[in-house]
Amino acid sequence: MIIVPSAQVHVVDGGHFSLDTAPDEIAARVREFMDMPKESIPGEEIMATATTPARPPFPPFTRDSAMQKVRLAEDGWNTRDPAKVALAYAIDSRWRNRSEFLNGRNEIIAFLSRKWAKELEYRLIKELWAFTGNRIAVRFAYEWHDESGHWYRSYGNENWEFNDDGLMRMRFASINDLPIKEADRKYHWPLGRRPDDHPGLSDQGL
């Protein structure tokens, strides 16, 4: 555990699903954080440079271990916790997400904070496409709405490469957003981890 005595703590009266009940206040806090000068952000450099425990399963992957890696990634992103998600990536991890290029854990945390301040009620499903050695290809779809209540289903493909510790050192993602009606949503589980008995992408014809 990393203890940062100077960390800023804001208590939001939002219950268990604060991103649903207090999205404006949380988004405002995130924007305040993102606008702070880098040298004034307590703990950011600690998070970016701290030694990260290895993340099994490790390469070279089998079909079973690749499927496990995909599900662990899905579960992590469904927490919508930028700092927690970033720990699955190497400190010097390189990303291309759509047309945005990221380098290192600091930029990953900042990107994910912006992402989940915009993409509300985010629910994600990933599915293994292919694997070999230390690489995995994935397809995914997630549903979300913006602050105006407009819903989208975003379809994407990812290419991953891992280091020997099971941390992702490269991620390349191509994503397209499809506007949908709220009535056409397919993901309705409570925010957080997708239940084990919930259909996957292929099961839903996505």
Side-chain angles (χ1 to χ4, degrees):
M1 176 179 292
I2 300 171
I3 299 175
V4 184
S6 59
Q8 295 186 22
V9 177
H10 300 280
V11 179
V12 177
D13 184 13
H16 292 292
F17 303 109
S18 298
L19 284 173
D20 293 329
T21 56
D24 293 339
E25 180 176 357
I26 293 172
R29 294 298 186 185
V30 170
R31 292 190 189 99
E32 289 175 7
F33 178 85
M34 297 304 301
D35 290 339
M36 291 173 65
K38 184 172 288 291
E39 60 270 15
S40 70
I41 301 177
E44 186 182 63
E45 294 303 321
I46 295 176
M47 177 62 71
T49 60
T51 300
T52 303
R55 286 290 184 105
F58 307 113
F61 297 111
T62 64
R63 179 172 180 80
D64 286 345
S65 64
M67 292 179 66
Q68 181 184 0
K69 203 72 166 176
V70 172
R71 182 59 197 246
L72 288 171
E74 176 190 312
D75 292 348
W77 282 60
N78 274 327
T79 68
R80 295 164 296 141
D81 183 331
K84 180 177 180 179
V85 172
L87 291 176
Y89 299 88
I91 290 172
D92 58 352
S93 184
R94 294 192 298 113
W95 286 23
R96 178 186 58 76
N97 193 91
R98 302 179 189 252
S99 60
E100 189 168 355
F101 293 82
L102 309 176
N103 289 283
R105 200 173 289 161
N106 278 339
E107 293 186 12
I108 291 172
I109 292 171
F111 166 80
L112 293 174
S113 297
R114 295 194 307 271
K115 171 185 175 68
W116 287 317
K118 170 188 175 184
E119 297 177 354
L120 308 178
E121 291 197 61
Y122 173 98
R123 294 172 175 86
L124 165 72
I125 299 179
K126 292 181 181 287
E127 183 176 280
L128 175 66
W129 184 256
F131 68 94
T132 183
N134 66 342
R135 291 180 171 180
I136 296 176
V138 173
R139 70 187 193 95
F140 62 88
Y142 61 88
E143 294 182 347
W144 58 282
H145 69 80
D146 61 22
E147 61 183 6
S148 298
H150 298 119
W151 281 91
Y152 300 86
R153 184 178 304 121
S154 299
Y155 295 91
N157 300 292
E158 291 177 289
N159 293 320
W160 300 343
E161 183 175 283
F162 295 85
N163 63 22
D164 291 340
D165 291 327
L167 299 173
M168 196 182 301
R169 64 187 179 194
M170 289 194 288
R171 172 183 178 267
F172 304 105
S174 300
I175 307 170
N176 300 102
D177 302 319
L178 174 69
I180 61 173
K181 297 177 181 178
E182 184 172 2
D184 293 332
R185 293 171 53 203
K186 293 181 178 290
Y187 304 169
H188 298 280
W189 69 84
L191 288 173
R193 186 180 188 275
R194 175 171 60 100
D196 289 333
D197 60 354
H198 190 284
L201 294 183
S202 293
D203 297 328
Q204 299 184 81
L206 295 177

